[in-house]
C-alpha cells in the first residue's frame, strides 16, 4: 500500500505548480541551503539550480518532482509574507507547471515584445559551462496558449516549443559577457514560414529578418552573438551564422552549388543576393560568397561590423573532419559547433583555417603602445608573435615552384642537399621468422602526436640568417646542412651514461621519412640534428639558416587544443587519470556514447594537423605558374620552417620511444605510419607487449593514456592476415600500419 501512496504523491508533485523563481530562491535561503547543497541533493549541476531560480529554465521530471516536493516542504516552514508579490507570472488561466513536456502537445508560440535584446539561459549560469540534458522544448518558459509573456525585466525572445534535442550534457552555455550573452553562433532554420536561430545552451531565438542584409543587421544589433578575444591585444570573435537549406531558400540562396560554383568556391558576383548586400552597403572578402562567407562594413575606430556565414550544404563542414555534422538537426548542430567554439574558437573556415587563425588569435601581430607625450597610443609589434609582415623562408625551406627557386632549370629535381624534407614516417619491413610465429599484429597510435610535438618547441619568429660552417646549437631553431650517414643505430645512447646494442636492420632511421639511412649531407630541422647528438654522435654542419629571433610561439596553441581534446574526451568517459586497463576499456566504443561530442574530437584533431599544414600552404589553382608567388605567401603565418620543426620533433619523439622499447624488450616495430606503430605480439592487446610493471610504464617508452603524446590501441589483426595481404599484392614491405585499424586494404601501391 505504501508503494501506491508514494506513486500518488509523485503524481501529484508532477502536476503541482512551482512557485515563481524569486520565491524558490527565498525558500532556499530561508532554510540556509546553498545552491550546491540543493544541486547535490537533486543530482543536478549547480548551474541547473541557478537557472531554475533565475527563471531561465524550468525543471523536468524526475528532478522536477523532487524539486517541487522540496519547495513545498520549505513553504510549510517559511510561509511567504502577505505583502509579497511574484515577480514572474503566467498568463491568466495557465498554470506555470503546464507545458509541452506534460501535455504532449506543443503550445503555440506566444507573442513577445522585443523591446530589449534576447536574454539567454546562460546569464544565470555565470562561469558554469554545462547544463543538464534536455530538449529545446523543455527550455521554453511556460506560457499561455496566446497573449504576450510579461516579465519583471526586459522582454524575452522565447525558446520555441516543439524544437529538437538541444542541450545534452557537455553543451556550453552562452557567454557571460553581456555583449555576447547568447553565445558565439547560431544555426538559422525555417519552419512554417518562421525563421529561428538555434543558439548554444538550448536557446532558440525568433528571427524577424526576411532578407540576408536584414539578417546581418539583426545579428549585429539584436542577436548578441560573438565571443570575447582570446588574447589581450586581440579582437573579439565575430558572430557566426550557420544557414540550413531551409534558411538558404528563405534568403534567396541556392541550396547546393553547381559544379562550376563548387570549383570556383563561390556563387557568381552577379547573384541577386550579392546585389542586395551591395545595395545595403555590405562588402564581401576577396574569397567572395562561398561556404564560409564573411560579410562586413569597414571598421570605424574599434567598432567592427562583421558576420560570418557557414553553409553546410555547400560543403562548409568537410565530412572527413566533421563527420555527419552537416546533416544534423539545427539544435544538435548548434551544440556541436558551440562546444568546439567554446573550447577551441569560433570556426573561421575549415578546420585547417581555424587552426591557423587560432595561432594568430593567441599571438596577435600588434598591440597598443604605451601612451606618448600627447597621451595617444600607437600600434606596435607584439613580442612573441610573427608580426604583421611576411618574411622570406630559406631557399632550402622553399617548396618546389617558390619564387626563390625561379632560376632553377625547369625540370631540375632537388635532392636532400638542396631541399629540407621533414615529413612524417611511412616505413615498413618484412617480418622476421620469430615474429611470424606470433599470432597478432597490434597497432598503437600516439594521441595528438603533432600537437605534442609543438609543445615547448622553440621556433623562429623572424627571418633566417645564413651561416657557413656553424657550430651546432640545439637551442637555435633553423635548418642545417649536415651529414648524418655515420649515425649507427646498432649502438646508441639511451641515457646519460647508458648505451644499448640494437639490431639496426629492424629499426627505421630517425632522419628520413622513409626510414632509410641517409647517404650523405642533407638539410634537417634543429630537432633532427639534436637527436643525432642525443644518440651519442658528433655532428659538423656545413651550412645553416638559423633564426636568432625565436620563441615558444606554439605553446598557447597547444595548450588550448590539448585542453579542448581532454575536456571532450572526459565528457565521453575517457579521463586522463585512468589505469592502463581501464583506459583501454573506456576507449572501446567511446564515440558511440555521444556521437555529437565524438565529432568535436575529430574536429579538434583535424584543427591540429590542418593548422600545421597551412603553415606551408601550396598554390590552389588561380592560374598559378611555377616561379610566381601565390596568395598564401602574403601571410606572416606562411612559415614552412615552423611546420618542418614540428614534424621533425614529432618523428624524433616517436623514434625515441621505439628505441627505448627495443632496448628494454628486444621488440622492434613491423611498420610505422605517421603516429601509428605496429608490433607483432602474442596477444591482442597493447598490454600484451608494452612493458608495464606494477602499473607503471617503461620510462621514456610508450605509455597508454589519453594525454597528447601517450598512446591508444589503434587496432589488432592476425599475423596471417598481414602475410596474406603482402603476398596477395606482391609487396613484402607493404605498410600494414595503414590498414591495421579494421583490416580493410585499399589503394595498394607496390611500386610497380
Amino acid at each position: 500500500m505504501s508503494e501506491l501512496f508514494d506513486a500518488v504523491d509523485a503524481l501529484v508533485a508532477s502536476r503541482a505548480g512551482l512557485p515563481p523563481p524569486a520565491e524558490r530562491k527565498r525558500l532556499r535561503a530561508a532554510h540556509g541551503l546553498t545552491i550546491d547543497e540543493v544541486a547535490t541533493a537533486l543530482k543536478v549541476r549547480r548551474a541547473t539550480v541557478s537557472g531554475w531560480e533565475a527563471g531561465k529554465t524550468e525543471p523536468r521530471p524526475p528532478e522536477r518532482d523532487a524539486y517541487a516536493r522540496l519547495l513545498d516542504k520549505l513553504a510549510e516552514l517559511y510561509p511567504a509574507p502577505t505583502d509579497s508579490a511574484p515577480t514572474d507570472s503566467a498568463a491568466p488561466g495557465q498554470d506555470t507547471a503546464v507545458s509541452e513536456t506534460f501535455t504532449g502537445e506543443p503550445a503555440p508560440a506566444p507573442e513577445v515584445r522585443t523591446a530589449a535584446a534576447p536574454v539567454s539561459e546562460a546569464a544565470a549560469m555565470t562561469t558554469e559551462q554545462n547544463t543538464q540534458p534536455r530538449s529545446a522544448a523543455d527550455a521554453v518558459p511556460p506560457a499561455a496558449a496566446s497573449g504576450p509573456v510579461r516579465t519583471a525585466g526586459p522582454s524575452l525572445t522565447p525558446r520555441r516549443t516543439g524544437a529538437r534535442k538541444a542541450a545534452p550534457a557537455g553543451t556550453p552555455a552562452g557567454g557571460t559577457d553581456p555583449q555576447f550573452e547568447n553565445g558565439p553562433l547560431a544555426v538559422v532554420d525555417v519552419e512554417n514560414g518562421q525563421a529561428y536561430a538555434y543558439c548554444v545552451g538550448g536557446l532558440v531565438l525568433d528571427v524577424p529578418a526576411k532578407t540576408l542584409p536584414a539578417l546581418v543587421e539583426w545579428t549585429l544589433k539584436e542577436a548578441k552573438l560573438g565571443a570575447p578575444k582570446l588574447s589581450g591585444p586581440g579582437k573579439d570573435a565575430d558572430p557566426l551564422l550557420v544557414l540550413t537549406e531551409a534558411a538558404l531558400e528563405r534568403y534567396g540562396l541556392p541550396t547546393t552549388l553547381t559544379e562550376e560554383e563548387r570549383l570556383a568556391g563561390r556563387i557568381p558576383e552577379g547573384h541577386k543576393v550579392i546585389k542586395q548586400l551591395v545595395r545595403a552597403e555590405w562588402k564581401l572578402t576577396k574569397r567572395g560568397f562561398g561556404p564560409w562567407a564573411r560579410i562586413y562594413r569597414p571598421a570605424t575606430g574599434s567598432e567592427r561590423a562583421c558576420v560570418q556565414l557557414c553553409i553546410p550544404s555547400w560543403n562548409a563542414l568537410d565530412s572527413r573532419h566533421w563527420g555527419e555534422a552537416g546533416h544534423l538537426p539545427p539544435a544538435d548542430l548548434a551544440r556541436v559547433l558551440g562546444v568546439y567554439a567554446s573550447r577551441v574558437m569560433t570556426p573561421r573556415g575549415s578546420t585547417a583555417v581555424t587552426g591557423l587563425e587560432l595561432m594568430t588569435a593567441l599571438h596577435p601581430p600588434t598591440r597598443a603602445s604605451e601612451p606618448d607625450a600627447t597621451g595617444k597610443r600607437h600600434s606596435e609589434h607584439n613580442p612573441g608573435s610573427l608580426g604583421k609582415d611576411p618574411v622570406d623562408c630559406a631557399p632550402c625551406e622553399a617548396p618546389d615552384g617558390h619564387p626563390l627557386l625561379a632560376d632553377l632549370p625547369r625540370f631540375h629535381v632537388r635532392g636532400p642537399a638542396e631541399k629540407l624534407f621533414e615529413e612524417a614516417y611511412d616505413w615498413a619491413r618484412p617480418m622476421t621468422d620469430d615474429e611470424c610465429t606470433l599470432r597478432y599484429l597490434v597497432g598503437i597510435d600516439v594521441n595528438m602526436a603533432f600537437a605534442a610535438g609543438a609543445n615547448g618547441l622553440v621556433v623562429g619568429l623572424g627571418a633566417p640568417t645564413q651561416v657557413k660552417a656553424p657550430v651546432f646549437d640545439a637551442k637555435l631553431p633553423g635548418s642545417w646542412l649536415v651529414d648524418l650517414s655515420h649515425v649507427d643505430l646498432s649502438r646508441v645512447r639511451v641515457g646519460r651514461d647508458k648505451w644499448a646494442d640494437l639490431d639496426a636492420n629492424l629499426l627505421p632511421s630517425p632522419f628520413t621519412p622513409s626510414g632509410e639511412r641517409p647517404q650523405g649531407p642533407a638539410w634537417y630541422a634543429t630537432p633532427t640534428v639534436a637527436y643525432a647528438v642525443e644518440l651519442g654522435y658528433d655532428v659538423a654542419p656545413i651550412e645553416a639558416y638559423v633564426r636568432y629571433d625565436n620563441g615558444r610561439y606554439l605553446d598557447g596553441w597547444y595548450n588550448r587544443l590539448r585542453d579542448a581534446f581532454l575536456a571532450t574526451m572526459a565528457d565521453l568517459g575517457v579521463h586522463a587519470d585512468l589505469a592502463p586497463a581501464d583506459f583501454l576499456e573506456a576507449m572501446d566504443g567511446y564515440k558511440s556514447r555521444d556521437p555529437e561530442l565524438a565529432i568535436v574530437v575529430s574536429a579538434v584533431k583535424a584543427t591540429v594537423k590542418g593548422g600545421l599544414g597551412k603553415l606551408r600552404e601550396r598554390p590552389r589553382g588561380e592560374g598559378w605558374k611555377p616561379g610566381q608567388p601565390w596568395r598564401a605567401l602574403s601571410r606572416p603565418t606562411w612559415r614552412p620552417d615552423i611546420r618542418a620543426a614540428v614534424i621533425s620533433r614529432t618523428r624524433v619523439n616517436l623514434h625515441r620511444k621505439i628505441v627505448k622499447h627495443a632496448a628494454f624488450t628486444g621488440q622492434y616495430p613491423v611498420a610505422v605510419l605517421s603516429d601509428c606503430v605496429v608490433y607483432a605480439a602474442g596477444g591482442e592487446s597493447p598490454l600484451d607487449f608494452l612493458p608495464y610493471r606494477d602499473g607503471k610504464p617503461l620510462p621514456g617508452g610508450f605509455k597508454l593514456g589519453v594525454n597528447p603524446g601517450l598512446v591508444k590501441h589503434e587496432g589488432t589483426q592476425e599475423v596471417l592476415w598481414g602475410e596474406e595481404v603482402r603476398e596477395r599484392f606482391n609487396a613484402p614491405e607493404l605498410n600494414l600500419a595503414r590498414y591495421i585499424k579494421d583490416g580493410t586494404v585499399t589503394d595498394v601501391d607496390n611500386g610497380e
Side-chain angles (χ1 to χ4, degrees), residues 131-376:
T131 59
Q132 279 295 296
R134 64 183 184 276
S135 69
D138 302 324
V140 181
S146 62
V149 174
R150 294 181 175 86
T151 67
S155 300
L156 298 178
T157 298
R159 300 160 181 80
R160 181 172 55 87
T161 60
R164 301 177 179 90
K165 179 176 64 128
T171 302
T176 56
D177 187 329
Q179 183 181 356
F180 311 123
E181 66 180 48
N182 291 335
L185 56 89
V187 179
V188 180
D189 190 34
V190 178
E191 289 186 21
N192 300 322
Q194 172 62 49
Y196 302 99
Y198 290 75
C199 307
V200 299
L203 180 68
V204 183
L205 306 176
D206 291 324
V207 180
K210 298 290 198 303
T211 66
L212 191 62
L215 177 64
V216 174
E217 294 278 2
W218 173 82
T219 302
L220 293 172
K221 293 181 179 179
E222 299 183 45
K224 292 197 173 184
L225 296 173
K229 57 190 176 183
L230 297 179
S231 174
K235 300 175 181 177
D236 294 335
D238 298 318
L240 172 66
L241 295 181
V242 185
L243 304 183
T244 66
E245 292 189 26
L248 292 174
E249 292 177 350
R250 177 185 180 90
Y251 297 115
L253 292 164
T255 56
T256 58
L257 297 180
T258 65
E259 182 65 17
E260 182 180 356
E261 292 168 343
R262 187 186 65 80
L263 293 174
R266 63 181 74 189
I267 58 176
E269 295 294 328
H271 194 280
K272 63 178 182 180
V273 172
I274 296 181
K275 291 180 179 179
Q276 289 176 359
L277 292 170
V278 171
R279 286 195 296 270
E281 299 183 342
W282 289 105
K283 296 179 179 293
L284 292 166
T285 57
K286 289 183 180 179
R287 62 182 173 185
F289 203 126
W292 290 93
R294 297 187 70 80
I295 303 172
Y296 73 99
R297 285 183 180 135
T300 55
S302 61
E303 294 296 322
R304 288 167 58 85
C306 182
V307 173
Q308 178 155 323
L309 302 183
C310 167
I311 306 178
S313 65
W314 294 6
N315 200 35
L317 301 175
D318 191 325
S319 60
R320 293 172 298 176
H321 310 139
W322 290 101
E324 294 300 312
H327 303 290
L328 289 174
D332 297 336
L333 180 55
R335 182 199 178 207
V336 169
L337 295 177
V339 172
Y340 180 90
S342 68
R343 294 177 177 176
V344 180
M345 70 180 297
T346 305
R348 294 287 304 273
S350 67
T351 50
V353 169
T354 304
L356 196 69
E357 291 287 340
L358 180 61
M359 296 180 195
T360 303
L362 294 169
H363 286 287
T366 59
R367 67 178 184 181
S369 68
E370 293 297 323
D372 60 18
T374 65
K376 187 176 181 180

Side-chain angles (χ1 to χ4, degrees), residues 51 68 101 213 296 398-399 437 476 564 666 670 691:
T101 304
Y296 73 99
T437 64
L476 196 58
V670 171

